[in-house]
Amino acid sequence: MKTVRCSGSPFEIGFQHGESATSEIKRALVFYEDLFERLVKLSWNEACQEASKFMPFLQGRWPQYVDEIRGVSKGSGVPFESILALNARTEIAYGMFDDGCTALSWKCDSVSILAQNWDWQTEQAENLIRLQIRQESKPSIDMICEAGIIGKIGLNSAGVGVCLNAIQAKGVCFDRLPCHLALRACLDSHSKTEAARILQTTGVASSCHILVADPTGSTGLEFSNVDIVELPANSSGIVIHTNHYVKDHPGVIDRIYLSDSITRLDRIGKLVSTYPDGPTMTAVSEMLKDEENYPVSICRAQTEKSTTATLFCIVMKLDEKLAIVTVGRPVQSVGTLVLNQWE
């Protein structure tokens, strides 16, 4: 997996990202152009037109992200509208993409763990990058993202980490943050409290669950295009989530597009209960290797009918500002990254 290091102003950060990951960005565009056509029946031009509906809100409230996206565009030689569409890819799909992920957070005594398997179509694996960002007046960021997208899964130098679960509930609000930019807003924050407050104030444009944590613990936030429901940690300091709503969202229809979402949630809950002494990075890593109900297990595998599989596993120890990323399915790793470089 390519490492891209960026620093400076938002535009400069974006330019360095685009220039260093041009090949990955252009391949990602080909991947999503095909996916939109097949799943949503949208041409890429139509997808870009949908993404442009976010511009009045983003330019007015989040101009730094617009500048960074412009930088990615300039650095990669890809039209701005296409980079914007990548960053709003979840919203443009109107809840039709089938990312499948299992996430958990666990705070016990002085230990704060945040982790997930990120499952997506294997064709996109070659377009994942490690993105390191150094920026003024904000924490430094170390995350795994799809090339061209400026927010994803990882942690920052303040010990704030974030994970994402896709949920299929139709609807989009163009006066809220696209979910990948909401992830970036979390990583630009100095605490989980600050991150949660920003998201609760701003809202997220489409359905998803965002799990944000720091050394003090975690907060889960389930979003639809019309509401926000908080999932506080339970009495053991744990939040677990897969790909369906676990709280009520009146008037919102959750399609539960992955039937295994329910079984994975039950399974990760049972696995957590087998560690009464609390979490360790090793224990959580082992949980995310679980293959019960294979191939649609916590550690997901590609099949003849579906190319979706676990593309990476990340386990963060936020009290140490450290993350271990296993590239590929964690039972068949093709590499390991250590995210802890803050200097």
Side-chain angles (χ1 to χ4, degrees):
M1 186 183 296
K2 178 180 288 186
T3 295
V4 176
R5 297 179 176 88
C6 308
S7 61
S9 69
F11 182 87
E12 290 168 336
I13 288 168
F15 185 90
Q16 294 157 25
H17 175 175
E19 186 176 48
S20 298
T22 299
S23 297
E24 290 81 1
I25 291 169
K26 290 182 176 179
R27 288 197 303 259
L29 288 171
V30 172
F31 169 78
Y32 279 112
E33 181 175 352
D34 174 70
L35 204 61
F36 279 124
E37 184 68 44
R38 285 190 291 111
L39 294 186
V40 197
K41 307 304 179 187
L42 282 179
S43 69
W44 188 248
N45 183 57
E46 290 170 325
C48 291
Q49 290 175 7
E50 287 297 300
S52 70
K53 295 178 182 178
F54 282 107
M55 277 301 293
F57 170 75
L58 293 176
Q59 192 64 67
R61 296 279 301 276
W62 301 88
Q64 69 273 32
Y65 294 160
V66 175
D67 287 347
E68 190 166 332
I69 290 169
R70 288 194 193 282
V72 175
S73 167
K74 185 70 171 178
S76 63
V78 170
F80 170 81
E81 294 78 11
S82 288
I83 303 299
L84 179 63
L86 278 181
N87 281 272
R89 57 97 159 164
T90 301
E91 287 69 28
I92 298 169
Y94 294 105
M96 292 302 293
F97 284 171
D98 57 352
D99 314 41
C101 308
T102 303
L104 70 97
S105 61
W106 195 348
K107 173 70 170 72
C108 182
D109 298 325
S110 61
V111 177
S112 182
I113 300 286
L114 177 66
Q116 86 164 88
N117 280 354
W118 188 67
D119 307 341
W120 191 215
Q121 298 191 25
T122 53
E123 298 94 324
Q124 186 65 344
E126 65 177 353
N127 303 322
L128 292 173
I129 61 171
R130 176 186 183 179
L131 186 61
Q132 297 178 308
I133 297 174
R134 307 292 179 263
Q135 49 192 349
E136 293 184 6
S137 305
K138 293 178 182 177
S140 297
I141 296 170
D142 210 345
M143 63 179 165
I144 308 300
C145 65
E146 298 170 88
I149 297 179
I150 68 170
K152 197 72 174 182
I153 298 160
L155 75 165
N156 70 21
S157 58
V160 177
V162 69
C163 293
L164 172 70
N165 300 100
I167 295 173
Q168 269 199 16
K170 289 188 176 181
V172 60
C173 177
F174 294 101
D175 292 325
R176 297 182 178 191
L177 270 176
C179 73
H180 285 88
L181 299 188
L183 296 172
R184 175 57 178 275
C186 291
L187 292 173
D188 281 339
S189 300
H190 293 84
S191 68
K192 73 161 175 83
T193 301
E194 179 186 347
R197 176 181 53 78
I198 289 170
L199 296 193
Q200 288 169 325
T201 301
T202 304
V204 174
S206 62
S207 56
C208 66
H209 169 254
I210 291 177
L211 183 55
V212 59
D214 68 8
T216 70
S218 64
T219 299
L221 296 167
E222 287 187 341
F223 296 93
S224 75
N225 66 311
V226 296
D227 69 0
I228 307 167
V229 180
E230 184 175 351
L231 281 73
N234 66 16
S235 59
S236 298
I238 297 167
V239 178
I240 55 176
H241 212 285
T242 51
N243 299 106
H244 63 280
Y245 288 131
V246 300
K247 295 287 189 177
D248 290 332
H249 294 256
V252 178
I253 299 175
D254 182 352
R255 298 179 63 233
I256 312 185
Y257 63 99
L258 293 172
S259 59
D260 57 89
S261 179
I262 296 171
T263 57
R264 282 184 287 114
L265 185 67
D266 180 67
R267 180 62 177 163
I268 194 67
K270 288 179 179 177
L271 290 171
V272 166
S273 70
T274 64
Y275 291 89
D277 296 330
T280 65
M281 294 187 79
T282 300
V284 172
S285 296
E286 288 301 312
M287 294 180 208
L288 294 175
K289 292 179 181 178
D290 188 77
E291 293 188 287
E292 183 172 293
N293 202 35
Y294 180 94
V296 290
S297 42
I298 290 173
C299 182
R300 196 176 195 91
Q302 180 178 349
T303 67
E304 292 182 359
K305 295 182 179 180
S306 172
T307 63
T308 297
T310 298
L311 300 190
F312 71 86
C313 168
I314 183 168
V315 180
M316 306 175 230
K317 193 169 188 290
L318 298 175
D319 50 288
E320 294 184 6
K321 303 174 186 177
L322 167 70
I324 304 296
V325 177
T326 303
V327 183
R329 299 184 67 235
V331 295
Q332 298 173 318
S333 171
V334 297
T336 302
L337 300 172
V338 179
L339 279 57
N340 68 344
Q341 298 178 20
W342 308 117
E343 299 300 326

